[in-house]
Amino acid sequence: MTVDITSSSLSIGIVGTGAMGRGIAQIAAQNGIRVMLFDALPGAAGNAREAVIATLAKLAEKGKITAEQLAATSAKLEVVAALTELASAQVIVEAIVENLDVKKQLFQQLEDIIAADCILATNTSSLSVTSIAAACKRPERVVGFHFFNPVPLMKIVEVIDGLLTAPANAEAMLALGQRMGHTAVRAKDTPGFIVNHAGRGFVTEALRILGEGVADFWEVDRVMREAAGFRMGPFELLDLTGMDVSHPVMESVYNQYYQEPRYRPSALAAQRLAGGVLGRKTGRGFYTYTNGAAEPMPVAAVPTALPASVWVSQAIPAWGDAVRAIVTKAGVTLETGPAPSRDALCIVTPLGTDATTLATTQGLDAARTVAVDCLLGLDKRRTLMTTPLTAPGLRDAAHALFAIDGTPVSVIRDSAGLIAQRILACIVNIGCDIAQQRVATPGDIDRAVTLGLGYPKGPLGFGDALGAKNILAILESMQGFYGDPRYRPSPWLKRRALLGVSLLTEEN
Ligand code: NAI
């Protein structure tokens, strides 16, 4: 028999009433579920109950909930003094310390107390649900129930099937997540589940760009925010999360996948962690913070001298045309011949390549070549990239040209894939590999990432918007340039790009 999640008399136990346990208790009680709170630390569960009620009272003050809702929700929250008092719970959610042995021991103790059909759910973010279940007499009753902090605002929960979890129990937890007002997605028990797995592309590739000296960290943030539409740049995100949290997650996913190159962490991050330069919490990370505000970063002055004439590569005709339109609008002489004149500024439009490779393969003078990223269009922040030989005067002339209509410009050093192409290709590729491993359905992958990470699109949706063939071309070019298996395309991406279908397409 499985638990009836819809029952008005449903009661759950929450063990561990810290930040996560409180949030889970709040949304459960708000949705009419009786919650019994237990914590090993004397007084902690009572404090948690009071804290949740205080939060609810604030919501009532702001008019977000009624006085009746406040009273009804508060009445659903009970404190218990011993684990044995959880005997009547139909579901127990543990949100205790992230330690495998301690969680195993708790579930073993609970199995002697609870009913035969009670579900044991774990909010673990990094441990294997299967390993926790291994301690239980009935491993089929153990399900992952992974929320994000702060729980009431992060409206997503990953429901994780361990190897031996009974499907009916995972389905019951999906229904419970939905009853609590969250989007519940289902994932296989794999390192990082969906969200912490999918999140590897954004920051690890950004750290790699920084490590290569391609651009300053703030320039990477500006490009990802303004051109790619992320709420925060990767370095702002690292500072917010704290390197003490981010780096161990990067290492954990990498090592749990036996050093899979796609997730390789960065030596830069390890050094920052060792140095205690953790982010906002220490007042200094990539940015320095005063009273919670990051100190402003330099903005390069926009040069004014325009190039005398410009030749634009038509290797990718639509992109060449878009650049030509800017040149014409600026009133600069546009050369339309097959090859540039001796003095022209040469503009190339890379797709996964670097400026040097394009200059040399197209027979252009590297000293006069500047690349521009067209993948995301040219109406938001524009990224320009030089070769190691680009003359500073022509680099500045290109900057002046692309900034003439007031659009901000980032000028970076040569890099296969520029900034946004590199990072987005890695995000899409990892998302595709999550789909390939059947960790979750393509739809659930994108839902989990947009809600759990706040990305403007899920990885598969990004791939569709930018073109799966383009993403494949970027990765293949980068893999060739760097000789690094980190960039090898996922079979999921390759097949759908070849077939010309959406990355959200499942197998028939
Ligand atoms: P926390 O440190 O705020 O709270 C943990 C609570 O559990 C404390 O009140 C502690 O006294 C209690 N506790 C520890 N061992 C216990 C035991 N054996 N029996 C009963 N109570 C015990 O921790 P937080 O942040 O709430 O995390 C809890 C769990 O949720 C961890 O497994 C963590 O990995 C997971 N998680 C945390 C997220 C976060 O952002 N903080 C996000 C997603 C999951």
Side-chain angles (χ1 to χ4, degrees):
M1 207 182 89
T2 51
V3 173
D4 178 11
I5 293 301
T6 57
S7 162
S8 59
S9 61
L10 181 70
S11 78
I12 69 170
I14 293 181
V15 181
T17 58
M20 298 305 288
R22 289 173 190 201
I24 299 166
Q26 181 186 324
I27 60 167
Q30 280 187 292
N31 288 287
I33 299 164
R34 176 177 167 231
V35 180
M36 294 178 276
L37 296 162
F38 175 78
D39 198 285
L41 193 69
N47 291 342
R49 181 176 180 275
E50 276 166 34
V52 173
I53 292 174
T55 304
L56 293 166
K58 276 204 198 114
L59 292 177
E61 259 172 50
K62 288 187 195 154
K64 301 225 162 122
I65 60 171
T66 64
E68 292 74 40
Q69 284 169 323
L70 168 61
T73 305
S74 305
K76 291 281 180 195
L77 295 163
E78 290 167 37
V79 172
V80 300
L83 277 184
T84 47
E85 292 179 50
L86 297 175
S88 64
Q90 286 132 309
V91 175
I92 293 189
V93 182
E94 75 74 16
I96 65 167
V97 61
E98 187 77 339
N99 176 303
L100 180 61
D101 289 335
V102 182
K103 287 195 198 279
K104 277 182 162 180
Q105 205 184 7
L106 171 70
F107 277 10
Q108 268 170 347
Q109 273 178 283
L110 283 167
E111 268 202 311
D112 291 334
I113 297 167
I114 55 178
D117 61 353
C118 176
I119 296 173
L120 287 175
T122 169
N123 185 44
T124 183
S125 55
S126 64
L127 301 172
S128 149
V129 174
T130 308
S131 311
I132 298 171
C136 294
K137 288 186 212 116
R138 295 172 184 245
E140 65 276 13
R141 65 157 101 216
V142 178
V143 185
F145 201 43
H146 180 218
F147 285 93
F148 296 81
N149 194 17
V151 177
L153 301 181
M154 300 292 291
K155 295 199 168 288
I156 175 87
V157 57
E158 294 176 327
V159 172
I160 299 120
D161 289 80
L163 219 48
L164 301 176
T165 302
N169 287 335
E171 279 147 26
M173 294 309 288
L174 280 173
L176 182 58
Q178 270 142 14
R179 180 165 171 192
M180 289 175 165
H182 275 35
T183 294
V185 293
R186 191 161 181 182
K188 271 206 293 211
D189 188 19
T190 45
F193 313 133
I194 306 173
V195 173
N196 285 340
H197 185 167
R200 295 314 96 223
F202 191 50
V203 289
T204 48
E205 193 57 20
L207 283 161
R208 215 173 134 85
I209 290 171
L210 188 66
E212 263 174 48
V214 170
D216 291 309
F217 64 84
W218 61 85
E219 217 59 65
V220 177
D221 279 350
R222 286 172 186 157
V223 170
M224 294 315 290
R225 239 187 6 246
E226 298 170 33
F230 285 72
R231 263 196 301 215
M232 251 183 274
F235 297 103
E236 290 163 321
L237 177 66
L238 282 167
D239 274 4
L240 179 71
T241 314
M243 202 53 100
D244 54 331
V245 175
S246 301
H247 188 59
V249 174
M250 290 190 254
E251 285 191 320
S252 157
V253 173
Y254 176 63
N255 288 321
Q256 286 186 75
Y257 272 112
Y258 294 103
Q259 291 79 46
E260 161 59 50
R262 286 197 186 103
Y263 315 127
R264 193 187 312 127
S266 158
L268 292 184
Q271 186 200 36
R272 285 172 174 272
L273 177 57
V277 186
L278 303 183
R280 281 180 177 271
K281 64 179 78 167
T282 54
R284 200 165 51 176
F286 289 97
Y287 298 86
T288 301
Y289 298 87
T290 313
N291 298 326
E295 74 177 317
M297 288 293 127
V299 178
V302 179
T304 48
L306 290 166
S309 66
V310 178
W311 178 89
V312 183
S313 164
Q314 289 295 113
I316 301 178
W319 291 2
D321 289 346
V323 176
R324 283 176 167 204
I326 289 176
V327 177
T328 309
K329 209 168 156 204
V332 171
T333 304
L334 175 69
E335 297 187 5
T336 52
S341 69
R342 269 174 51 97
D343 300 319
L345 166 69
C346 306
I347 303 287
V348 290
T349 56
L351 181 64
T353 36
D354 60 327
T356 302
T357 301
L358 285 185
T360 49
T361 54
Q362 295 185 23
L364 305 171
D365 178 359
R368 290 189 287 127
T369 301
V370 172
V372 59
D373 190 352
C374 295
L375 183 69
L376 294 162
L378 288 166
D379 52 346
K380 287 174 281 186
R381 177 174 285 275
R382 297 165 181 160
T383 304
L384 303 182
M385 183 167 77
T386 52
T387 76
L389 300 182
T390 303
L394 282 171
R395 175 198 63 207
D396 290 350
H399 187 167
L401 171 67
F402 282 96
I404 198 165
D405 57 1
T407 306
V409 167
S410 293
V411 183
I412 65 168
R413 297 198 191 91
D414 210 359
S415 154
L418 298 110
I419 292 174
Q421 290 186 13
R422 282 180 76 152
I423 296 178
L424 290 171
C426 288
I427 290 173
V428 174
N429 198 34
I430 289 175
C432 284
D433 218 49
I434 297 175
Q436 181 66 47
Q437 291 181 43
R438 271 66 182 183
V439 173
T441 63
D444 270 1
I445 293 169
D446 272 15
R447 269 187 285 280
V449 170
T450 44
L451 290 167
L453 296 171
Y455 291 0
K457 285 186 174 59
L460 306 172
F462 252 128
D464 281 351
L466 301 171
K469 285 197 168 80
N470 285 338
I471 300 294
L472 182 62
I474 293 168
L475 290 166
E476 283 177 340
S477 167
M478 289 180 68
Q479 195 188 2
F481 186 85
Y482 289 105
D484 189 338
R486 169 188 189 83
Y487 301 113
R488 74 188 190 287
S490 164
W492 185 278
L493 170 68
K494 248 184 162 162
R495 294 203 180 96
R496 281 151 189 79
L498 288 171
L499 292 168
V501 297
S502 162
L503 293 177
L504 288 150
T505 311
E506 294 190 62
E507 234 99 310
N508 280 337

